[in-house]
Amino acid sequence: MSDLNKLSLSAARDGLRAKDFTSVDLTEACLSEIESAGALNAFVHNTPEIAREQAKAADARLANGDAPAMCGLPIGIKDLFATKGVPTQAASAILEGFKPEYESTITSKLFDAGAVMLGKLNMDEFAMGSSNETSTYGNAVSPWRRGNEETPLTPGGSSGGSSAAVSADLCLAATGTDTGGSIRQPAAFTGIVGIKPTYGRCSRWGVVAFASSLDQAGPMTKSVRDAAIMLEAMCGHDMKDSTSADLPVPNFEALLTGDIRGKKIGIPKEYRLEGTPDEIVKLWDDGAAMLKDAGAEIVDISLPHTKYALPTYYVIAPAEASSNLARYDGVRYGHRATLAAGDGIDDMYEKTRAEGFGHEVQRRVMVGTYVLSAGYYDAYYNKARKVRTLIKKDFEDAFAAGIDAILTPATPSPAFGLGEVSDSDPVQMYLNDVFTVTVNLAGLPGISVPTGVSASGLPLGLQLIGKPWEEGDLLNIAHSLEAAAGFVSKPEKWW
Protein backbone atom coordinates (compact mmCIF):
# COMPACT_ATOMS: atom_id res chain seq x y z
CA MET A 1 0.00 0.00 0.00
CA SER A 2 1.56 3.30 -1.10
CA ASP A 3 -1.01 5.53 0.62
CA LEU A 4 -0.42 4.34 4.19
CA ASN A 5 0.52 7.90 5.20
CA LYS A 6 -3.07 8.96 4.41
CA LEU A 7 -4.54 6.71 7.11
CA SER A 8 -6.03 8.04 10.32
CA LEU A 9 -4.60 6.90 13.66
CA SER A 10 -7.60 4.65 14.28
CA ALA A 11 -7.48 3.04 10.82
CA ALA A 12 -3.72 2.51 11.07
CA ARG A 13 -4.06 1.04 14.57
CA ASP A 14 -6.69 -1.41 13.35
CA GLY A 15 -4.63 -2.29 10.26
CA LEU A 16 -1.55 -3.00 12.39
CA ARG A 17 -3.54 -5.36 14.59
CA ALA A 18 -5.03 -7.08 11.54
CA LYS A 19 -1.46 -7.50 10.20
CA ASP A 20 -2.40 -5.72 6.96
CA PHE A 21 0.93 -3.88 7.18
CA THR A 22 3.67 -3.17 9.72
CA SER A 23 4.77 -0.08 11.60
CA VAL A 24 7.90 -0.11 9.44
CA ASP A 25 5.65 0.08 6.35
CA LEU A 26 3.70 2.99 7.84
CA THR A 27 6.87 4.79 8.85
CA GLU A 28 8.54 4.40 5.46
CA ALA A 29 5.42 5.74 3.73
CA CYS A 30 5.52 8.86 5.92
CA LEU A 31 9.29 9.35 5.58
CA SER A 32 8.96 9.13 1.79
CA GLU A 33 6.17 11.72 1.82
CA ILE A 34 8.19 14.05 4.07
CA GLU A 35 11.14 13.92 1.65
CA SER A 36 8.96 15.16 -1.21
CA ALA A 37 7.25 17.91 0.82
CA GLY A 38 10.10 20.35 1.36
CA ALA A 39 7.99 23.17 -0.10
CA LEU A 40 5.74 23.05 2.99
CA ASN A 41 8.69 23.51 5.37
CA ALA A 42 6.71 21.60 8.01
CA PHE A 43 9.44 19.25 9.28
CA VAL A 44 12.58 21.09 10.37
CA HIS A 45 14.59 18.32 12.09
CA ASN A 46 14.07 14.92 10.49
CA THR A 47 14.78 11.83 12.60
CA PRO A 48 14.50 8.88 10.16
CA GLU A 49 16.97 6.68 12.09
CA ILE A 50 15.04 7.11 15.34
CA ALA A 51 11.76 6.52 13.49
CA ARG A 52 12.96 3.26 11.94
CA GLU A 53 14.28 2.00 15.27
CA GLN A 54 11.05 2.85 17.06
CA ALA A 55 8.98 1.26 14.28
CA LYS A 56 10.92 -2.02 14.54
CA ALA A 57 10.47 -2.02 18.32
CA ALA A 58 6.75 -1.31 17.87
CA ASP A 59 6.36 -4.23 15.45
CA ALA A 60 7.96 -6.49 18.06
CA ARG A 61 5.48 -5.27 20.70
CA LEU A 62 2.58 -5.74 18.32
CA ALA A 63 3.71 -9.29 17.60
CA ASN A 64 3.60 -9.99 21.34
CA GLY A 65 -0.01 -8.78 21.48
CA ASP A 66 0.34 -6.32 24.39
CA ALA A 67 0.67 -3.04 22.51
CA PRO A 68 -1.18 0.19 23.51
CA ALA A 69 -3.37 2.03 20.98
CA MET A 70 -0.59 4.40 19.84
CA CYS A 71 1.93 1.61 19.26
CA GLY A 72 3.56 1.77 15.85
CA LEU A 73 1.86 5.01 14.74
CA PRO A 74 4.15 7.64 13.14
CA ILE A 75 3.70 11.19 14.45
CA GLY A 76 5.41 14.57 14.31
CA ILE A 77 6.60 16.47 17.39
CA LYS A 78 6.36 20.25 17.64
CA ASP A 79 9.78 21.83 18.15
CA LEU A 80 8.67 23.09 21.58
CA PHE A 81 8.93 19.60 23.16
CA ALA A 82 12.31 18.56 24.54
CA THR A 83 13.48 15.41 22.74
CA LYS A 84 16.61 13.74 24.06
CA GLY A 85 19.57 14.11 21.71
CA VAL A 86 17.43 15.80 19.04
CA PRO A 87 17.57 19.57 18.37
CA THR A 88 14.92 21.46 20.34
CA GLN A 89 15.01 25.12 19.37
CA ALA A 90 11.47 26.42 19.86
CA ALA A 91 12.08 27.79 16.32
CA SER A 92 14.44 30.39 17.80
CA ALA A 93 18.01 31.27 16.82
CA ILE A 94 18.84 31.74 20.50
CA LEU A 95 18.53 27.97 21.05
CA GLU A 96 20.54 27.01 17.98
CA GLY A 97 22.51 23.82 18.61
CA PHE A 98 20.61 22.91 21.79
CA LYS A 99 20.07 19.16 22.16
CA PRO A 100 18.43 18.26 25.48
CA GLU A 101 19.78 15.46 27.64
CA TYR A 102 16.24 14.69 28.74
CA GLU A 103 12.81 13.90 27.28
CA SER A 104 9.64 15.89 27.90
CA THR A 105 6.98 14.04 29.89
CA ILE A 106 4.54 14.04 26.98
CA THR A 107 7.00 12.68 24.41
CA SER A 108 8.09 10.09 27.00
CA LYS A 109 4.47 9.01 27.41
CA LEU A 110 3.96 8.79 23.65
CA PHE A 111 7.17 6.84 23.08
CA ASP A 112 6.40 4.53 26.01
CA ALA A 113 3.07 3.87 24.26
CA GLY A 114 5.00 2.89 21.14
CA ALA A 115 4.49 6.00 19.00
CA VAL A 116 7.09 6.63 16.29
CA MET A 117 8.78 10.07 16.00
CA LEU A 118 9.31 11.14 12.39
CA GLY A 119 10.93 14.44 13.34
CA LYS A 120 10.43 17.91 14.79
CA LEU A 121 7.90 20.34 13.37
CA ASN A 122 8.06 24.02 12.48
CA MET A 123 6.32 26.62 14.66
CA ASP A 124 6.30 30.31 15.51
CA GLU A 125 9.33 31.33 17.58
CA PHE A 126 8.68 30.43 21.23
CA ALA A 127 5.06 29.81 20.16
CA MET A 128 4.55 33.56 19.68
CA GLY A 129 2.50 34.05 16.54
CA SER A 130 -0.67 33.13 14.69
CA SER A 131 0.74 32.40 11.23
CA ASN A 132 4.07 30.53 11.58
CA GLU A 133 5.92 33.53 10.13
CA THR A 134 8.18 34.20 13.14
CA SER A 135 10.22 30.98 12.88
CA THR A 136 13.99 30.93 12.53
CA TYR A 137 13.46 28.08 10.05
CA GLY A 138 11.35 30.26 7.75
CA ASN A 139 7.61 30.11 7.13
CA ALA A 140 5.64 26.89 7.27
CA VAL A 141 3.27 26.78 4.30
CA SER A 142 -0.27 25.43 4.19
CA PRO A 143 -0.95 22.57 1.77
CA TRP A 144 -4.21 24.36 0.88
CA ARG A 145 -4.62 26.90 -1.90
CA ARG A 146 -7.26 29.61 -2.41
CA GLY A 147 -9.26 28.62 -5.50
CA ASN A 148 -6.91 28.66 -8.52
CA GLU A 149 -4.47 31.07 -6.87
CA GLU A 150 -0.87 30.16 -6.18
CA THR A 151 -0.59 32.50 -3.19
CA PRO A 152 1.11 30.60 -0.34
CA LEU A 153 -1.21 30.48 2.66
CA THR A 154 -0.51 30.31 6.37
CA PRO A 155 -1.16 26.97 8.10
CA GLY A 156 -1.92 29.00 11.24
CA GLY A 157 0.19 29.39 14.33
CA SER A 158 1.96 28.76 16.47
CA SER A 159 1.56 25.03 15.68
CA GLY A 160 1.73 25.67 11.93
CA GLY A 161 4.20 22.90 11.12
CA SER A 162 1.98 20.43 12.97
CA SER A 163 -1.19 21.47 11.15
CA ALA A 164 0.49 21.51 7.73
CA ALA A 165 2.07 18.08 8.29
CA VAL A 166 -1.17 16.41 9.44
CA SER A 167 -3.29 18.05 6.73
CA ALA A 168 -0.79 17.06 4.01
CA ASP A 169 -0.58 13.47 5.33
CA LEU A 170 3.13 13.71 6.12
CA CYS A 171 2.35 12.09 9.49
CA LEU A 172 -0.72 10.47 11.00
CA ALA A 173 -0.93 13.03 13.83
CA ALA A 174 1.20 15.59 15.65
CA THR A 175 1.67 17.24 19.01
CA GLY A 176 0.80 20.90 19.38
CA THR A 177 0.72 23.47 22.17
CA ASP A 178 -1.95 26.06 22.83
CA THR A 179 -1.35 29.28 24.78
CA GLY A 180 -4.06 31.41 23.18
CA GLY A 181 -5.38 29.22 20.37
CA SER A 182 -2.23 27.74 18.84
CA ILE A 183 -3.74 24.27 18.41
CA ARG A 184 -7.30 25.25 17.53
CA GLN A 185 -6.62 28.09 15.06
CA PRO A 186 -4.14 26.17 12.85
CA ALA A 187 -6.40 23.11 12.99
CA ALA A 188 -9.30 25.23 11.69
CA PHE A 189 -7.13 26.76 8.95
CA THR A 190 -6.06 23.34 7.60
CA GLY A 191 -9.18 21.20 7.98
CA ILE A 192 -8.03 18.99 10.86
CA VAL A 193 -9.05 18.43 14.50
CA GLY A 194 -7.17 20.05 17.38
CA ILE A 195 -7.96 19.84 21.08
CA LYS A 196 -6.59 21.92 23.93
CA PRO A 197 -7.28 19.97 27.14
CA THR A 198 -8.04 21.45 30.55
CA TYR A 199 -5.05 23.28 32.05
CA GLY A 200 -3.19 20.67 34.10
CA ARG A 201 -4.47 17.64 32.18
CA CYS A 202 -1.18 17.27 30.25
CA SER A 203 2.22 17.80 31.85
CA ARG A 204 4.18 20.91 30.85
CA TRP A 205 7.50 19.45 32.01
CA GLY A 206 10.01 19.55 29.19
CA VAL A 207 7.87 21.87 27.05
CA VAL A 208 9.67 25.16 26.39
CA ALA A 209 7.66 27.75 28.31
CA PHE A 210 5.92 30.76 26.76
CA ALA A 211 3.27 31.74 29.33
CA SER A 212 3.21 29.17 32.11
CA SER A 213 -0.34 29.77 33.36
CA LEU A 214 -1.75 29.47 29.83
CA ASP A 215 0.38 26.86 27.99
CA GLN A 216 -1.14 23.44 27.43
CA ALA A 217 -0.19 20.64 25.04
CA GLY A 218 -2.63 18.63 22.97
CA PRO A 219 -2.99 16.46 19.86
CA MET A 220 -3.61 17.58 16.28
CA THR A 221 -5.24 14.80 14.29
CA LYS A 222 -7.31 13.83 11.25
CA SER A 223 -10.48 13.04 13.22
CA VAL A 224 -12.11 13.41 16.63
CA ARG A 225 -11.62 9.67 17.26
CA ASP A 226 -7.91 10.09 16.60
CA ALA A 227 -7.83 13.04 19.02
CA ALA A 228 -9.41 10.84 21.72
CA ILE A 229 -6.85 8.06 21.14
CA MET A 230 -3.82 10.35 21.21
CA LEU A 231 -5.03 12.56 24.07
CA GLU A 232 -5.38 9.55 26.36
CA ALA A 233 -1.73 8.65 25.72
CA MET A 234 -0.61 12.23 26.46
CA CYS A 235 -2.56 12.81 29.69
CA GLY A 236 -1.70 11.88 33.25
CA HIS A 237 -0.32 13.22 36.51
CA ASP A 238 3.35 14.22 36.58
CA MET A 239 5.24 14.79 39.83
CA LYS A 240 7.68 17.03 37.90
CA ASP A 241 4.92 19.55 37.06
CA SER A 242 3.34 21.26 40.06
CA THR A 243 0.33 22.29 37.95
CA SER A 244 -0.33 18.73 36.76
CA ALA A 245 -3.69 17.37 37.97
CA ASP A 246 -3.73 14.10 39.87
CA LEU A 247 -6.88 12.76 38.22
CA PRO A 248 -7.65 9.46 36.51
CA VAL A 249 -7.44 9.51 32.70
CA PRO A 250 -10.61 8.14 31.07
CA ASN A 251 -10.72 5.97 27.98
CA PHE A 252 -11.74 8.90 25.80
CA GLU A 253 -12.39 6.77 22.72
CA ALA A 254 -14.89 4.62 24.63
CA LEU A 255 -16.89 7.76 25.41
CA LEU A 256 -17.51 8.52 21.71
CA THR A 257 -21.09 7.27 21.56
CA GLY A 258 -22.32 10.07 19.31
CA ASP A 259 -25.41 10.36 21.52
CA ILE A 260 -25.84 13.98 22.62
CA ARG A 261 -29.59 13.95 23.23
CA GLY A 262 -30.50 16.34 26.05
CA LYS A 263 -27.15 18.13 26.03
CA LYS A 264 -27.40 21.91 26.37
CA ILE A 265 -25.18 23.82 23.95
CA GLY A 266 -24.61 27.50 24.71
CA ILE A 267 -24.34 30.15 21.98
CA PRO A 268 -22.65 33.25 23.47
CA LYS A 269 -24.02 36.49 22.06
CA GLU A 270 -20.72 38.30 22.73
CA TYR A 271 -19.00 36.20 20.06
CA ARG A 272 -21.21 37.74 17.36
CA LEU A 273 -18.61 40.35 16.52
CA GLU A 274 -19.19 43.22 14.14
CA GLY A 275 -17.42 42.63 10.84
CA THR A 276 -17.39 38.83 11.10
CA PRO A 277 -17.64 37.45 7.52
CA ASP A 278 -21.06 36.11 6.52
CA GLU A 279 -19.62 32.67 5.77
CA ILE A 280 -18.32 32.37 9.35
CA VAL A 281 -21.72 33.42 10.76
CA LYS A 282 -23.48 30.90 8.50
CA LEU A 283 -21.04 28.16 9.51
CA TRP A 284 -21.81 28.86 13.17
CA ASP A 285 -25.57 28.86 12.62
CA ASP A 286 -25.35 25.65 10.58
CA GLY A 287 -23.29 24.00 13.33
CA ALA A 288 -25.91 24.90 15.94
CA ALA A 289 -28.61 23.46 13.68
CA MET A 290 -26.62 20.21 13.28
CA LEU A 291 -26.31 19.79 17.03
CA LYS A 292 -30.01 20.56 17.47
CA ASP A 293 -30.89 17.91 14.87
CA ALA A 294 -28.74 15.45 16.83
CA GLY A 295 -30.91 16.02 19.90
CA ALA A 296 -29.10 18.81 21.72
CA GLU A 297 -30.85 21.87 23.10
CA ILE A 298 -29.46 25.18 21.80
CA VAL A 299 -29.43 27.93 24.45
CA ASP A 300 -28.48 31.60 24.01
CA ILE A 301 -26.05 32.60 26.77
CA SER A 302 -24.02 35.62 27.81
CA LEU A 303 -20.31 35.74 28.63
CA PRO A 304 -20.22 39.45 29.46
CA HIS A 305 -16.47 39.89 29.99
CA THR A 306 -15.52 38.41 26.60
CA LYS A 307 -14.72 41.84 25.15
CA TYR A 308 -11.87 42.22 27.63
CA ALA A 309 -10.31 38.82 26.85
CA LEU A 310 -7.90 39.85 24.10
CA PRO A 311 -6.36 42.83 25.95
CA THR A 312 -6.21 40.76 29.15
CA TYR A 313 -4.40 37.97 27.31
CA TYR A 314 -1.92 40.39 25.72
CA VAL A 315 -0.98 41.71 29.15
CA ILE A 316 -0.70 38.37 30.98
CA ALA A 317 0.98 36.31 28.22
CA PRO A 318 3.83 38.80 27.48
CA ALA A 319 4.35 39.36 31.22
CA GLU A 320 4.89 35.64 31.78
CA ALA A 321 6.99 35.41 28.61
CA SER A 322 9.33 38.18 29.75
CA SER A 323 9.93 36.25 32.97
CA ASN A 324 10.32 32.85 31.26
CA LEU A 325 12.62 34.07 28.50
CA ALA A 326 15.01 35.77 30.93
CA ARG A 327 16.83 32.40 31.17
CA TYR A 328 18.16 32.77 27.61
CA ASP A 329 21.30 34.79 28.20
CA GLY A 330 24.08 33.01 26.30
CA VAL A 331 25.70 31.70 29.48
CA ARG A 332 24.68 28.04 29.71
CA TYR A 333 23.33 26.83 26.37
CA GLY A 334 22.23 27.95 22.94
CA HIS A 335 23.54 30.95 21.04
CA ARG A 336 26.18 33.30 22.47
CA ALA A 337 27.12 36.51 20.66
CA THR A 338 30.73 37.21 19.74
CA LEU A 339 32.02 39.93 22.05
CA ALA A 340 34.41 42.75 21.30
CA ALA A 341 37.45 43.54 23.43
CA GLY A 342 36.33 45.26 26.60
CA ASP A 343 32.75 43.96 26.48
CA GLY A 344 31.32 42.90 29.83
CA ILE A 345 28.58 40.47 30.87
CA ASP A 346 25.82 43.03 30.26
CA ASP A 347 27.07 43.43 26.69
CA MET A 348 26.95 39.66 26.26
CA TYR A 349 23.34 39.53 27.46
CA GLU A 350 22.27 42.40 25.21
CA LYS A 351 24.05 41.23 22.07
CA THR A 352 23.03 37.59 22.51
CA ARG A 353 19.37 38.47 22.95
CA ALA A 354 19.41 41.02 20.12
CA GLU A 355 20.85 38.39 17.76
CA GLY A 356 18.92 35.40 19.11
CA PHE A 357 15.37 36.68 19.58
CA GLY A 358 13.22 37.60 16.57
CA HIS A 359 11.24 40.83 16.35
CA GLU A 360 7.92 39.40 17.60
CA VAL A 361 9.57 37.80 20.64
CA GLN A 362 11.43 41.05 21.35
CA ARG A 363 8.15 42.97 21.08
CA ARG A 364 6.37 40.68 23.56
CA VAL A 365 9.29 40.63 26.01
CA MET A 366 9.35 44.45 25.96
CA VAL A 367 5.58 44.65 26.53
CA GLY A 368 5.78 42.07 29.30
CA THR A 369 8.67 43.78 31.07
CA TYR A 370 6.82 47.09 30.84
CA VAL A 371 3.58 45.81 32.42
CA LEU A 372 5.57 44.18 35.25
CA SER A 373 7.69 47.25 35.96
CA ALA A 374 7.35 49.48 39.00
CA GLY A 375 4.50 51.91 38.58
CA TYR A 376 2.70 49.81 35.97
CA TYR A 377 2.33 46.45 37.74
CA ASP A 378 -0.95 47.42 39.42
CA ALA A 379 -2.23 49.47 36.49
CA TYR A 380 -1.83 46.66 33.96
CA TYR A 381 -0.78 43.24 35.25
CA ASN A 382 -2.81 43.11 38.47
CA LYS A 383 -5.84 44.56 36.71
CA ALA A 384 -5.52 41.92 33.96
CA ARG A 385 -5.38 39.17 36.59
CA LYS A 386 -8.62 40.46 38.13
CA VAL A 387 -10.35 40.59 34.74
CA ARG A 388 -9.13 37.05 34.04
CA THR A 389 -10.98 35.92 37.17
CA LEU A 390 -14.16 37.56 35.88
CA ILE A 391 -13.79 35.85 32.48
CA LYS A 392 -13.39 32.51 34.23
CA LYS A 393 -16.48 33.20 36.35
CA ASP A 394 -18.56 33.88 33.22
CA PHE A 395 -17.91 30.30 32.11
CA GLU A 396 -18.48 28.90 35.60
CA ASP A 397 -21.87 30.63 35.75
CA ALA A 398 -22.86 29.26 32.33
CA PHE A 399 -21.90 25.70 33.27
CA ALA A 400 -23.61 26.04 36.67
CA ALA A 401 -26.80 27.01 34.82
CA GLY A 402 -26.77 23.63 33.06
CA ILE A 403 -24.80 24.32 29.87
CA ASP A 404 -22.78 21.25 28.79
CA ALA A 405 -20.67 22.88 26.06
CA ILE A 406 -20.38 26.19 24.21
CA LEU A 407 -20.27 26.51 20.42
CA THR A 408 -18.37 29.36 18.74
CA PRO A 409 -16.41 29.98 15.55
CA ALA A 410 -12.77 28.86 15.80
CA THR A 411 -11.35 31.71 13.71
CA PRO A 412 -12.66 35.04 12.37
CA SER A 413 -11.71 34.10 8.78
CA PRO A 414 -10.31 31.30 6.63
CA ALA A 415 -6.52 31.05 6.23
CA PHE A 416 -4.87 34.19 4.86
CA GLY A 417 -1.86 34.57 2.61
CA LEU A 418 1.63 34.64 4.06
CA GLY A 419 2.61 38.27 4.47
CA GLU A 420 -0.94 39.58 4.11
CA VAL A 421 -1.35 40.27 7.83
CA SER A 422 2.18 40.10 9.24
CA ASP A 423 3.23 43.07 7.12
CA SER A 424 0.53 45.28 8.66
CA ASP A 425 -0.25 46.33 12.23
CA PRO A 426 0.65 43.46 14.64
CA VAL A 427 -2.68 44.01 16.41
CA GLN A 428 -4.39 42.69 13.25
CA MET A 429 -2.49 39.44 13.73
CA TYR A 430 -3.44 39.29 17.42
CA LEU A 431 -7.13 39.52 16.45
CA ASN A 432 -6.84 36.00 15.02
CA ASP A 433 -7.06 34.76 18.61
CA VAL A 434 -10.30 36.59 19.38
CA PHE A 435 -12.42 33.42 19.71
CA THR A 436 -9.80 31.24 21.39
CA VAL A 437 -7.98 33.17 24.14
CA THR A 438 -10.89 33.05 26.60
CA VAL A 439 -10.48 29.26 26.83
CA ASN A 440 -6.84 29.59 27.93
CA LEU A 441 -7.59 32.40 30.37
CA ALA A 442 -10.26 30.21 32.01
CA GLY A 443 -8.18 27.01 31.80
CA LEU A 444 -10.95 25.15 29.96
CA PRO A 445 -10.83 22.42 27.31
CA GLY A 446 -11.59 23.49 23.75
CA ILE A 447 -11.66 21.66 20.43
CA SER A 448 -11.72 22.81 16.81
CA VAL A 449 -13.66 20.65 14.35
CA PRO A 450 -13.63 21.19 10.55
CA THR A 451 -17.23 21.75 9.48
CA GLY A 452 -17.25 23.55 6.13
CA VAL A 453 -15.38 25.33 3.36
CA SER A 454 -15.18 28.99 2.43
CA ALA A 455 -16.24 30.47 -0.89
CA SER A 456 -12.63 30.11 -2.03
CA GLY A 457 -12.52 26.42 -1.04
CA LEU A 458 -10.59 26.76 2.22
CA PRO A 459 -11.46 24.82 5.40
CA LEU A 460 -13.49 26.47 8.15
CA GLY A 461 -13.76 25.18 11.71
CA LEU A 462 -16.06 25.52 14.70
CA GLN A 463 -14.94 25.52 18.30
CA LEU A 464 -16.58 23.66 21.17
CA ILE A 465 -15.70 24.70 24.74
CA GLY A 466 -16.27 22.18 27.53
CA LYS A 467 -16.40 21.96 31.30
CA PRO A 468 -13.08 21.52 33.14
CA TRP A 469 -11.87 17.89 33.16
CA GLU A 470 -14.80 16.85 30.93
CA GLU A 471 -12.77 16.21 27.76
CA GLY A 472 -14.66 12.95 27.25
CA ASP A 473 -18.01 14.71 27.03
CA LEU A 474 -16.51 17.46 24.86
CA LEU A 475 -15.01 14.91 22.46
CA ASN A 476 -18.36 13.12 22.20
CA ILE A 477 -20.19 16.33 21.28
CA ALA A 478 -17.42 17.13 18.79
CA HIS A 479 -17.76 13.60 17.39
CA SER A 480 -21.47 14.22 16.78
CA LEU A 481 -20.76 17.58 15.11
CA GLU A 482 -18.05 15.99 12.94
CA ALA A 483 -20.45 13.23 11.81
CA ALA A 484 -23.19 15.74 10.98
CA ALA A 485 -20.86 18.09 9.09
CA GLY A 486 -19.33 15.26 7.05
CA PHE A 487 -16.20 17.27 6.21
CA VAL A 488 -14.02 15.21 3.84
CA SER A 489 -12.17 17.87 1.83
CA LYS A 490 -8.43 17.46 1.31
CA PRO A 491 -5.93 19.84 -0.28
CA GLU A 492 -5.00 19.14 -3.87
CA LYS A 493 -1.33 18.20 -4.01
CA TRP A 494 0.86 20.95 -5.51
CA TRP A 495 4.02 20.54 -3.44
Side-chain angles (χ1 to χ4, degrees):
M1 292 175 69
S2 57
D3 290 342
L4 291 177
N5 56 295
K6 294 182 179 178
L7 292 175
S8 64
L9 287 179
S10 56
R13 174 197 61 186
D14 296 345
L16 286 171
R17 278 151 184 73
K19 297 184 169 53
D20 294 338
F21 43 80
T22 65
S23 176
V24 169
D25 295 335
L26 273 174
T27 300
E28 291 297 342
C30 290
L31 290 173
S32 173
E33 199 66 24
I34 291 166
E35 277 184 31
S36 66
L40 300 179
N41 199 26
F43 277 88
V44 290
H45 297 294
N46 294 343
T47 57
E49 299 84 2
I50 292 173
R52 290 181 176 117
E53 264 180 49
Q54 290 177 331
K56 285 175 189 170
D59 281 332
R61 286 179 76 175
L62 286 158
N64 290 333
D66 64 345
M70 286 296 295
C71 190
L73 303 179
I75 62 172
I77 303 296
K78 187 177 179 178
D79 193 39
L80 211 61
F81 293 81
T83 42
K84 187 174 181 179
V86 176
T88 300
Q89 286 186 234
S92 179
I94 207 161
L95 276 172
E96 188 173 359
F98 176 57
K99 294 182 180 180
E101 290 301 314
Y102 56 92
E103 196 74 49
S104 77
T105 296
I106 282 180
T107 50
S108 291
K109 282 178 171 291
L110 288 166
F111 300 155
D112 288 347
V116 174
M117 177 173 73
L118 298 165
K120 303 296 285 290
L121 291 159
N122 206 346
M123 55 176 282
D124 279 297
E125 184 182 7
F126 283 105
M128 297 181 194
S130 300
S131 62
N132 215 136
E133 292 177 273
T134 68
S135 169
T136 190
Y137 310 119
N139 302 338
V141 180
S142 174
W144 292 82
R145 287 283 166 92
R146 211 163 27 197
N148 295 319
E149 292 182 27
E150 293 189 5
T151 307
L153 302 179
T154 175
S158 65
S159 307
S162 299
S163 64
V166 175
S167 182
D169 294 316
L170 309 188
C171 54
L172 305 196
T175 61
T177 62
D178 194 310
T179 305
S182 289
I183 285 174
R184 291 158 290 150
Q185 182 251 26
F189 274 2
T190 56
I192 65 171
V193 173
I195 181 168
K196 181 206 93 72
T198 310
Y199 182 79
R201 180 64 98 173
C202 289
S203 171
R204 292 184 297 109
W205 194 85
V207 182
V208 179
F210 164 13
S212 301
S213 75
L214 300 165
D215 298 343
Q216 194 62 192
M220 302 179 72
T221 61
K222 299 177 186 180
S223 71
V224 173
R225 184 172 298 279
D226 286 4
I229 293 167
M230 189 167 170
L231 181 62
E232 185 180 346
M234 294 171 69
C235 290
H237 182 237
D238 182 11
M239 293 288 288
K240 292 180 286 196
D241 176 4
S242 62
T243 62
S244 173
D246 191 1
L247 291 171
V249 179
N251 180 340
F252 293 124
E253 189 183 9
L255 299 173
L256 300 181
T257 63
D259 184 2
I260 62 166
R261 286 172 295 181
K263 296 289 182 185
K264 288 189 175 182
I265 309 297
I267 307 292
K269 65 180 183 182
E270 289 79 10
Y271 282 61
R272 295 196 179 276
L273 302 176
E274 190 178 336
T276 302
D278 290 343
E279 60 187 2
I280 299 289
V281 175
K282 183 179 185 304
L283 183 85
W284 191 12
D285 291 341
D286 289 349
M290 290 175 202
L291 293 173
K292 185 176 182 180
D293 289 344
E297 181 185 345
I298 306 301
V299 183
D300 288 328
I301 63 168
S302 177
L303 301 170
H305 294 94
T306 295
K307 62 184 175 183
Y308 305 117
L310 214 54
T312 299
Y313 174 84
Y314 279 102
V315 169
I316 289 172
E320 295 186 13
S322 76
S323 177
N324 278 326
L325 270 59
R327 71 191 71 175
Y328 304 109
D329 52 17
V331 175
R332 289 149 293 189
Y333 48 77
H335 175 73
R336 179 186 292 187
T338 302
L339 302 182
D343 279 349
I345 192 165
D346 286 346
D347 298 300
M348 185 190 73
Y349 290 161
E350 289 173 12
K351 289 182 178 180
T352 295
R353 288 168 175 161
E355 291 174 11
F357 288 144
H359 293 312
E360 182 59 32
V361 171
Q362 291 177 7
R363 179 186 288 122
R364 297 200 197 192
V365 167
M366 292 287 284
V367 169
T369 305
Y370 177 82
V371 300
L372 290 175
S373 60
Y376 297 102
Y377 185 91
D378 284 330
Y380 293 105
Y381 184 65
N382 255 349
K383 189 172 287 184
R385 287 173 61 209
K386 290 172 183 175
V387 176
R388 179 182 188 173
T389 302
L390 295 173
I391 291 168
K392 186 169 184 285
K393 189 174 185 303
D394 286 347
F395 285 102
E396 289 169 351
D397 290 346
F399 293 134
I403 296 298
D404 294 293
I406 296 166
L407 180 72
T408 76
T411 60
S413 71
F416 47 86
L418 292 167
E420 287 179 359
V421 178
S422 59
D423 293 343
S424 61
D425 180 354
V427 173
Q428 288 300 115
M429 185 69 80
Y430 299 164
L431 288 171
N432 264 283
D433 301 330
V434 67
F435 296 126
T436 52
V437 294
T438 52
V439 178
N440 299 80
L441 290 167
L444 299 171
I447 186 169
S448 174
V449 181
T451 48
V453 291
S454 71
S456 55
L458 296 179
L460 297 172
L462 288 174
Q463 173 181 234
L464 282 160
I465 304 166
K467 297 177 182 177
W469 317 115
E470 295 290 341
E471 289 87 358
D473 197 36
L474 179 66
L475 283 160
N476 187 44
I477 296 169
H479 183 55
S480 177
L481 178 61
E482 177 186 58
F487 182 91
V488 292
S489 300
K490 295 290 290 183
E492 285 192 26
K493 191 166 182 178
W494 56 264
W495 59 93

